[in-house]
Amino acid sequence: MTEATPQGRVRRFCAIVLPALEAAGYTGYGSQQRLVADTGMNKSTVSRLLNGEQIPHVKFFPALAKAAGLDPVELLVAAEILPPEYLESQQTLSENNQSRVGSGSITPEEAAEGLGIHDDVGKFTFLAVVEKLKSPQPDEDDAANPGGTAAQM
């Protein structure tokens, strides 16, 4: 059974984020300042995160996920903003035959609207995933480990 206290929620979030940050090189001297620079969080928020005391505001999740090498949706689930079933129920466009390759380009916001994503959390999640997908592809070393950081834990 999971701990239903706010501290338990923070503990579960940090159990995912802190090892990922460590694996991404945010350890040792200067790592706190690098994380401040890479995520836009202030120093006290980064300090409380690294000490396992606080979950940062959701607006920092895309940058935090990028720094930690995690999927932003994983952070939303870890912070209990989205239910765990959300990750399990996701399908790719090719799995449900809704791909419209060659139909012209649209903005991510237009895509969210076209997919019927109208709530703020849903839009944030969708746009964060789009940004993650637009980022540079993983190094060859990452290709040898297709499970990703979260799968190694």
Side-chain angles (χ1 to χ4, degrees), residues 6-30:
Q7 295 82 12
R9 181 174 158 249
V10 172
R11 192 172 305 124
R12 287 186 299 279
F13 182 86
C14 290
I16 292 170
V17 173
L18 296 180
L21 286 171
E22 185 175 325
Y26 290 96
T27 58
Y29 183 77

Side-chain angles (χ1 to χ4, degrees), residues 32-98:
Q32 183 173 333
Q33 191 58 39
R34 274 190 29 243
L35 193 56
V36 166
D38 292 349
T39 62
M41 290 187 281
N42 65 42
K43 187 176 179 177
S44 62
T45 300
V46 168
S47 178
R48 287 191 295 269
L49 170 65
L50 295 176
N51 288 326
E53 300 168 355
Q54 178 183 342
I55 297 173
H57 190 279
V58 70
K59 70 181 178 183
F60 296 111
F61 281 20
L64 179 60
K66 185 175 182 179
L70 296 171
D71 184 335
V73 176
E74 287 181 87
L75 297 185
L76 290 166
V77 171
E80 299 178 9
I81 295 168
L82 292 175
E85 299 81 36
Y86 188 83
L87 285 173
E88 298 163 7
S89 68
Q90 297 305 295
Q91 292 182 336
T92 64
L93 288 175
S94 61
E95 289 173 331
N96 60 22
N97 295 321
Q98 292 186 17

